[in-house]
Amino acid sequence: MSHPQIPDLTEAERARILAKSALFDPPPAVLADGRRELVGLSRSELAEEMTAIGEAPFRARQLWHWIYHRGETDFSRMSSIARPLQQKLAERFVIGRPETASVQTSADATRKFLFRFRDGQEAETVYIPDPHEDRGAVCLSSQVGCTLSCRFCHTGTQLLTRNLGATEIVGQFMAARDAYGEWPSPKGETPRLLSTIVLMGMGEPLYNYANVGKAMTIVMDGEGIALSRRRITLSTSGVVPMMDRAGAELGVNLAVSLHAVRNDLRDELVPLNRKYPIEELIAACRRYPGASNARRITFEYVMLKGVNDSVADARELVHLIAGIPAKINLIPFNPWPGSRFETSGAVAIKRFAAIVMDAGFASPVRTPRGRDILAACGQLRTESRRVSAET
Ligand code: SAH
Ligand code: SF4
């Protein structure tokens, strides 16, 4: 199959993507009584809020510390702020969290949270503890549903309802931290239970770049949650123009959902490939800043029996990514109700991994986590639907 044209990577293309995704932005983070949510504001927005109520901008720094370092949600417990100002703040602002609609814990200790936001929309967040050490990854959702419809992905069967706001993306992480009581934020290299963030939940993060970027900037701020960009991985199905932007502005680790090495097959499995084909995607990976042996690009490759798991596929893969500092995560397909694929057999996976490894790339086979509670890669889905503007 041929590709009509290689899209150009101009600023105009990025502007088009950003404008389109803004149509799916969440409602403003303001309560019915007019109080504004402070979680999710940038530092400068927080300073503007202070100025707007006649307070000095340094209050923003104080609040930042309480909100993101201490995890405090109650103004009356902010001991460095005098009582009259505490009251003034409480009349105008809130420091909220998404509501925890349900929590399920897997036999392997993976925990899945269903968070409900102010307008009733819901998204899932998963905490995956390291089996050997006191650390773990928090898998955040970036959208309710997804516009893309990768054939093997449960989220892809749920239409995009809307983007999650920075408030809601940071809020997922903070609510998960609440559940494990990990406040104040551990400083520097102090071990953390919630030690990494992976943007691998529901949605395509690069189709919600404005909110995802803002949320990650908040999470990385050294005076708050202070998670280093090296501990954050953004996974994309290949929104090529936005990969450049994310690399330049955020510098987080990049994971690319490759899944196929020929355009005809990838067009089917990851339909976004029809817009940004493999050659474009790989070129964007080669451009991605900071890729080095210490900081490799991760290629995700879901192992689908008889579909993409042959020896020829493995050989083509190593040829395709030759010279890119990379590791290949081989993900056994996680089934979901109604899915039509099967997981590759152990022999096929081993054979595939060996070829990739012989070519000099790490090729860990991901142990599925949380499958019993539908918390593994590609199993997330909520019942949220798009509601009309009037309701
Ligand atoms: N939308 C982004 C991030 C979320 S998906 C992306 O596509 O990259 C996180 C990873 O899980 C992706 O690599 C995705 O392709 C993979 N995945 C989706 N469905 C899966 C399934 N059923 N089994 C295993 N991995 C799956
Ligand atoms: Fe969306 Fe990623 Fe699922 Fe594809 S794999 S449908 S991009 S969430």
Side-chain angles (χ1 to χ4, degrees):
M1 187 182 283
S2 69
H3 284 273
Q5 68 192 77
I6 305 285
D8 68 36
L9 302 180
T10 60
E11 199 54 47
E13 174 75 354
R14 278 190 277 276
R16 191 191 61 77
I17 293 172
L18 288 167
K20 197 166 166 196
S21 74
L23 299 175
F24 289 92
D25 266 350
V30 179
L31 272 62
D33 63 12
R35 286 181 299 159
R36 296 181 70 87
E37 175 61 69
L38 293 184
V39 172
L41 296 184
S42 67
R43 262 176 184 272
S44 59
E45 286 169 340
L46 192 56
E48 280 163 28
E49 291 290 344
M50 293 303 108
T51 315
I53 62 162
E55 297 296 332
F58 83 87
R59 295 291 180 194
R61 191 164 179 192
Q62 265 181 332
L63 277 172
W64 193 272
H65 176 85
W66 283 109
I67 298 171
Y68 296 113
H69 178 66
R70 303 289 288 266
E72 187 53 70
T73 54
D74 183 344
F75 293 104
S76 73
R77 283 200 291 262
M78 298 184 176
S79 53
S80 62
I81 296 176
R83 192 149 292 271
L85 180 53
Q86 287 177 358
Q87 280 166 359
K88 184 176 172 183
L89 292 169
E91 282 161 20
R92 291 164 175 82
F93 303 112
V94 286
I95 301 164
R97 299 285 193 265
E99 181 193 332
T100 305
S102 72
V103 184
Q104 287 169 276
T105 306
S106 156
D108 69 17
T110 296
R111 200 176 281 184
K112 181 168 82 168
F113 300 87
L114 176 66
F115 288 126
R116 185 174 300 143
F117 304 106
R118 294 218 169 90
D119 63 353
Q121 298 290 355
E122 295 174 334
E124 294 183 314
T125 305
V126 182
Y127 175 65
I128 309 135
D130 186 298
H132 309 296
E133 284 176 62
D134 285 344
R135 63 179 188 204
V138 188
C139 179
L140 300 180
S141 289
S142 56
Q143 299 182 306
V144 181
C146 189
T147 45
L148 304 169
S149 43
C150 304
R151 298 285 175 260
F152 45 81
C153 174
H154 202 195
T155 309
T157 65
Q158 179 182 0
L159 293 176
L160 177 67
T161 302
R162 66 167 175 80
N163 286 330
L164 293 175
T167 304
E168 296 163 330
I169 298 169
V170 179
Q172 292 172 62
F173 184 74
M174 295 176 86
R177 285 270 294 262
D178 292 349
Y180 290 90
E182 194 168 58
W183 298 107
S185 292
K187 288 204 165 175
E189 290 304 304
T190 316
R192 303 172 178 232
L193 211 50
L194 282 70
S195 58
T196 54
I197 286 181
V198 292
L199 285 154
M200 296 186 183
M202 297 166 60
E204 168 49 57
L206 293 187
Y207 272 158
N208 183 19
Y209 180 74
N211 293 305
V212 166
K214 189 173 179 191
M216 291 306 107
T217 305
I218 292 170
V219 164
M220 292 189 285
D221 186 291
E223 291 182 11
I225 292 170
L227 206 60
S228 135
R229 64 193 168 83
R230 290 166 193 282
R231 303 204 182 280
I232 299 175
T233 301
L234 183 151
S235 174
T236 181
S237 54
V239 184
V240 166
M242 300 310 295
M243 287 165 64
D244 292 320
R245 176 96 182 255
E249 291 181 356
L250 304 176
V252 296
N253 300 317
L254 182 69
V256 172
S257 297
L258 189 60
H259 307 316
V261 290
R262 296 188 324 269
N263 279 319
D264 59 349
L265 181 58
R266 197 163 188 273
D267 280 351
E268 289 307 314
L269 296 178
V270 183
L272 184 64
N273 194 68
R274 296 174 197 168
K275 199 166 207 166
Y276 305 118
I278 292 176
E279 305 74 53
E280 287 292 308
L281 179 58
I282 297 297
C285 293
R286 291 189 193 279
R287 288 195 299 270
Y288 197 78
S292 67
N293 276 328
R295 231 168 147 242
R296 292 170 293 184
I297 290 183
T298 302
F299 288 99
E300 294 155 287
Y301 198 96
V302 60
M303 298 298 292
L304 304 171
K305 187 176 194 167
V307 175
N308 65 355
D309 59 354
S310 71
V311 167
D313 287 316
R315 295 215 173 105
E316 182 61 32
L317 173 60
V318 298
H319 178 66
L320 196 64
I321 62 170
I324 302 179
K327 78 168 176 192
I328 324 298
N329 275 351
L330 299 174
I331 317 174
F333 169 67
N334 293 309
W336 36 270
S339 60
R340 278 176 296 171
F341 295 102
E342 279 179 72
T343 308
S344 304
V347 174
I349 296 182
K350 234 175 147 176
R351 195 178 52 194
F352 198 101
I355 295 171
V356 177
M357 204 145 47
D358 281 351
F361 298 99
S363 57
V365 179
R366 291 281 127 187
T367 311
R369 301 290 303 274
R371 264 189 184 175
D372 53 339
I373 54 166
L374 282 185
C377 293
Q379 293 184 316
L380 305 183
R381 189 185 198 279
T382 62
E383 294 306 318
S384 294
R385 297 272 181 283
R386 189 159 173 83
V387 286
S388 65
E390 302 85 63
T391 54

